[in-house]
Amino acid sequence: MIRQYELVERVKAYDPAADEAMLNRAYVYSMKVHGAQVRANGDPYFSHPLEVAGILTDMKLDAATIVTALLHDTIEDTVATYEEIESLFGPKIATLVDGVTKLSKLEQASERTKQAENFRKLLIAMSNDIRVLLVKLADRLHNMRTLHFIEKPDKRRRIALETMEIYAPLAERIGMHQLKDELEDFAFAELNGEARTSIIRRLSFLRDQGGDLITRISDQLARTLANQGIDSWVSGREKRPYSIWRKMEQKNISFEQLSDIMAFRVVVDQMPTCYQALGVLHASYSMVPGRFKDYISTPKRNNYRSIHTAVIGPEKQKIEIQIRTREMHEVADFGVAAHWRYKQSNGIVPDGGAPEGTQYRWLRELLEILEQAANPEEFLENTKLEMFTDQVFCFSPKGDLIALPRGATPLDFAYAVHTGLGHSTVGAKINGRLQTLRTELKNGDQVEIVRSKGQTPSPSWEHIVTTGKARSAIRRFLRNQQRDQYISLGKAMAVRAFQSLGRDLTEKAIDGALSKLKQRSVEDVYVALSQGLLTDRALLEAIFPGERPEDTGDARVLPIARGRLKRKRAENALPIRGLIPGMAIHYAGCCHPLPGDRIVGIVTTGKGVTVHAIDCKTLESFADAPERWIDLAWELDAEPGELHVGRISAVVTNEPGTLSQLASVIAKNRGNIANLKFTDRSSEYVEMMVDIEVRDLKHLTHILAALRADPAVSSVERARG
């Protein structure tokens, strides 16, 4: 363990003005309150916050952050309280500690819900002070270093998965690549230990075969640059096992097919020298096409800046080279921690980097997702989408740079600019050519969004977008739109309920009964009515106690618009899955859907849902309004009850007795003719449309087979329209 004076000396070495008394007080207080607690490996628990503080001293962070690290588990795991921390160390430290503290008292059934809630709190806290995230990442790093001491495999895997999905991307987002690499490596070892071991063995074999290849190539690159008068520091390393594994997965290639498992860094003094070094290297070695990226001209969202290229370098090896200044190199390794140091020292961002706050744009986008998410799980899902590492850089017609994840579409671009622009998007021009909204954007694309005031988001857009911001905005709009439909339908049901008492609907009357109905607003009453959570009788009883309509019938609401009378089981619910309880429905007269058909519903505000067969031609007129579609299906195990109308088209011989013969066949097969219409007549044949009451599709098919067997029937088919 780090001794007390050693920790203080570490901090004072890079921050002579640090509050030594506060550091000593935090060390002693943390050791005291953790007392005899021990970790899974048997070490005193106090060793954990101490190691976390040690990790942060390596990043040269300020004394307040180090004190927060020492205290970060005190509120959660000891008798210490927020008020006590505030009184001893001040409100700022107390706020930081509370931000890192988990929501340990959440009584949630789902572990995933608890994880999502913890992440929501962490996000809110770090939006106020990014040091909360720095402490949390250092905390997670030390936990991963000691993960193997946890006995339960399921718990180890859950922690490793959470690290890979949330904390490693977060570290990447704030530019802390060194910490991200270590987190990924530990998580990879737990999630796929065999693959990691295999890659390490192969790297070791190549190292033995090539000798000190990395050192030889580094020296040669340095000499090449020095010969042209460029002073540089060149270092090389093998790519990490997880980075190699991810490339093998993404490109679907074997280890033997990888040719760039070595990466080299060229560090120079000034930004212009980066481009001079690039010119020298490209002039000296063959460049690999398609591998050049200039992150100095267009920095990543985490303020990472460097020039990336690949060449066939010394000893005919295909290598990746990163060229940057010393300040860029420090930011690349320590990210926002380095930025924080520069800000603390002189408030100047080195090398003309991103202005203050720019590197936190992604954090503001996550906060927008937080506001729009319906529940913690949806927020966590969309946040993972928002933390993609691979990026494309696109431009607006005015030249504004928009960074998006790989695979983004024009819809993602529109929502990245403004939510309102995304909602009204109808098309996009990419590099001057009109393209579909599904088009995948590429680096350097200029995107112009075509919009319309009458356009609204469609449910299908969820499958087009890649970013979490776009998906959460679309879901929020659709939720609000669905509520509007519920309100409209519920209001129509309330009007009918009031009319049954001979009264006109007044929202003032409903408002006075909200407490009895246990609803917060009149709109909530309408929603409850349309969802079947509130009956018309309960509504009327709450507003007009003791009054009864002339014929209330059953207490439940059955708002069937133009529905056919049931011959049996009229009191039972309709045998259809996917309907909202209590919603008014009727069957389409254009296609006459039967149980056994594939069906969909079309929502009409104020009228409910019309059920159509999936192949009904009328559906083509709703192709541009997919938000009105509802996926429906018949309850296959429902008992036979309601009779449905199936329509057939028959051609019979024009002879006396033919019609009675057709009716006889239908009757023998337990069908009932509900309607008949002659559509064409000649001297030999008569064509007619016949509506037959049947139980389901199988029943109609049986009748059709019987009719085809009758000699008087020339042809017979099921009819649409």
Side-chain angles (χ1 to χ4, degrees), residues 169-207:
L170 272 175
E172 195 277 336
R173 268 305 180 88
I174 60 173
M176 303 183 71
H177 292 88
Q178 189 173 326
L179 190 146
K180 181 209 75 162
D181 288 343
E182 194 171 351
L183 286 174
E184 285 180 340
D185 196 45
F186 283 119
F188 185 41
E190 178 61 38
L191 297 173
N192 201 338
E194 290 184 7
R196 180 177 178 274
T197 301
S198 174
I199 291 172
I200 290 174
R201 279 201 302 263
R202 295 185 182 192
L203 289 173
S204 179
F205 174 77
L206 292 178
R207 203 179 303 122

Side-chain angles (χ1 to χ4, degrees), residues 68 144 272 480 501-502 638 689:
T68 301
M144 292 303 294
N480 292 339
L501 292 178
M689 301 284 278

Side-chain angles (χ1 to χ4, degrees), residues 19-38:
D19 189 339
E20 185 175 342
M22 184 171 66
L23 288 167
N24 285 320
R25 195 161 64 250
Y27 188 104
V28 173
Y29 179 82
S30 180
M31 183 168 58
K32 177 183 175 182
V33 294
H34 283 297
Q37 292 176 344
V38 294

Side-chain angles (χ1 to χ4, degrees), residues 372-402:
Q372 295 175 350
N375 52 59
E377 290 89 342
E378 181 182 317
F379 166 68
L380 190 61
E381 173 197 346
N382 292 330
T383 300
K384 289 177 183 177
L385 288 173
E386 196 64 24
M387 293 195 296
F388 273 96
T389 54
D390 294 333
Q391 291 178 297
V392 292
F393 297 95
C394 301
F395 297 89
S396 71
K398 295 182 179 180
D400 296 327
L401 177 67
I402 303 293

Side-chain angles (χ1 to χ4, degrees), residues 494 498 503-512 522 526 543-544:
F498 271 63
R503 297 176 180 270
D504 293 328
L505 173 68
T506 62
E507 293 192 350
K508 184 176 181 181
I510 298 177
D511 189 64
V522 175
Y526 294 152
I543 301 173
F544 309 110

Side-chain angles (χ1 to χ4, degrees), residues 650 652-669 671 673 676 678 681 686 688 690 706-707 710-713:
V652 300
T653 56
N654 191 0
E655 296 177 356
T658 299
L659 185 58
S660 63
Q661 195 169 340
L662 180 140
S664 177
V665 172
I666 293 174
K668 285 180 181 179
N669 288 278
I673 297 177
L676 184 147
F678 294 103
R681 182 190 294 267
V686 176
M688 64 186 75
V690 186
L707 288 170
D710 192 283
V713 179

